Amino acid sequence: MMLPELRTRPGDKVAREVTVDAGVTLPVTVIHGEREGKTMLVTAGIHGGEYLGIRAATLLAATLTPRDVAGRVVVLHCCNPGAFFAHRAFVVPEDGKNLNAVFPGDPEGSLAERIAHVIATAFIPVADVHVDIHCGDIPETLVSHVYYSDSADPAVNEASREMALASGADYAVPARGMKGPSHVACQRGIPSVLIERGASGLWSEEEAQRYVRQLRGVLAHCGLIDPEEALPRPRVIAHAFSLTAPKSGCWLPRVEPGDYVGAGEELGTISDFFGNVLETVVAAHEGVVLYMTSSLSVNEGGPLITCGSGDRE
Ligand SMILES: [Zn+2]
């Protein structure tokens, strides 16, 4: 059930901070269309250092009017304001937990778990479709791609895939086990996609506008706004594989997101502070580099690089 302060009627547009916990408020905009249609929940800033996505959410919410919309668009602009203000990657600084990893949350848990619980119980249940906005966090860089569910009910998987194909991303990746709000949505029968673009927490107004075009592509596909010029169709990845850092040290990549690599090709080296090579990292399979660590530092066992192989179709 929608929080009382966010209950709207056709033609309403409400933008306000809602209290989700003692001392924690989340910025929310609801655009309630003049015409009937689906409810789309848009979540941004699950990782609060992903500024491009947060700016895109704000631009989307600011530019949609009830006249444009059939149904209802609910935008959660920044789900992790602690990280947003602290310039922290990946985690909720108050408890050190990755908000994306603690869904469906716990009303009695630490702050990340309580935020997840509110999103899972007060926002996701009102949605017919869901889009989670991410981007390259402060220490990572990536090529434009989108994840869709590949492990929920077949009808949910198919609807999620169609949303992904309408998103204008360069690559679409079937995810066998989505995390975060997308996991909760798909398990409840709500089609969901997770969109990625951008790098290193950086943002620009031009990039945010491009992100908004992608979001509008999904909105139009779901019938919430009038059809727009179709965006390029993503290439569908058959299998994504990730490498963790074999050693802690200085990561010197030889590839960039979007590069194609062959099996056995050198991806980069990890060296110590004196420049001695500790490890040479090679690709186990051929594929396109989807995302990788962009910072000089990597930690043993931590994320390093993910590639996607083979077109599925
Ligand atoms: Zn993220």
Side-chain angles (χ1 to χ4, degrees):
M1 192 174 75
M2 188 61 104
L3 297 169
E5 59 267 48
L6 293 175
R7 282 190 198 134
T8 50
R9 293 194 290 197
D12 288 347
K13 181 171 182 176
V14 173
R16 61 185 303 169
E17 298 270 350
V18 296
T19 301
V20 299
D21 200 69
V24 177
T25 61
L26 300 181
V28 185
T29 299
V30 180
I31 305 103
H32 199 144
E34 293 177 355
R35 295 164 284 147
E36 292 200 351
K38 293 175 179 169
T39 293
M40 177 179 285
L41 173 65
V42 178
T43 47
I46 291 283
H47 296 130
E50 296 179 358
Y51 297 110
L52 174 64
I54 294 164
R55 180 62 184 155
T58 292
L59 287 177
L60 177 74
T63 50
L64 284 176
T65 69
R67 177 164 284 188
D68 303 328
V69 172
R72 198 167 45 154
V73 183
V74 180
V75 180
L76 264 169
H77 297 245
C78 181
C79 298
N80 181 355
F84 177 87
F85 288 110
H87 309 134
R88 278 292 295 278
F90 304 133
V91 299
V92 172
E94 289 87 343
D95 60 14
K97 291 181 180 169
N98 186 333
L99 178 55
N100 208 47
V102 300
F103 276 80
D106 178 354
E108 308 296 329
S110 63
L111 182 61
E113 292 162 331
R114 298 198 302 271
I115 293 173
H117 175 76
V118 169
I119 296 169
T121 57
F123 288 94
I124 292 173
V126 306
D128 300 304
V129 286
H130 168 243
V131 177
D132 198 20
I133 300 180
H134 287 247
C135 61
D137 209 328
I138 295 164
E140 66 183 1
T141 180
L142 49 83
V143 71
S144 156
H145 64 287
V146 56
Y147 295 94
Y148 63 91
S149 171
D150 200 37
S151 58
D153 178 82
V156 175
N157 292 345
E158 181 56 24
S160 302
R161 180 177 180 278
E162 293 296 325
M163 289 166 66
L165 295 179
S167 72
D170 290 351
Y171 296 92
V173 185
R176 288 167 194 88
M178 299 195 65
K179 291 185 181 176
S182 292
H183 170 72
V184 175
C186 289
Q187 294 308 312
R188 287 173 182 244
I190 301 163
S192 175
V193 292
L194 186 161
I195 306 180
E196 298 268 18
R197 77 175 291 136
S200 306
L202 298 172
W203 73 280
S204 70
E205 203 69 354
E206 294 75 22
E207 268 292 277
Q209 292 284 6
R210 288 187 197 103
Y211 210 141
V212 169
R213 279 199 65 205
Q214 291 191 247
L215 297 168
R216 291 183 66 92
V218 181
L219 281 163
H221 167 77
C222 295
L224 279 111
I225 59 173
D226 290 340
E228 305 210 322
E229 191 182 340
L231 298 168
R233 187 180 164 94
R235 299 183 70 172
V236 180
I237 293 294
H239 177 63
F241 53 94
S242 298
L243 291 174
T244 54
K247 288 253 168 51
S248 296
C250 303
W251 166 231
L252 306 172
R254 293 178 65 109
V255 295
E256 293 180 358
D259 284 354
Y260 277 92
V261 298
E265 185 174 332
E266 183 180 330
L267 300 173
T269 55
I270 296 171
S271 68
D272 64 16
F273 286 118
F274 308 102
N276 302 307
V277 175
L278 305 173
E279 199 82 42
T280 299
V281 180
V282 298
H285 309 272
E286 60 79 32
V288 61
V289 178
L290 292 174
Y291 71 86
M292 55 188 250
T293 295
S294 58
S295 69
L296 181 61
S297 65
V298 289
N299 293 292
E300 185 174 338
L304 185 67
I305 191 164
T306 291
C307 298
S309 71
D311 279 355
R312 218 186 203 197
E313 48 198 36

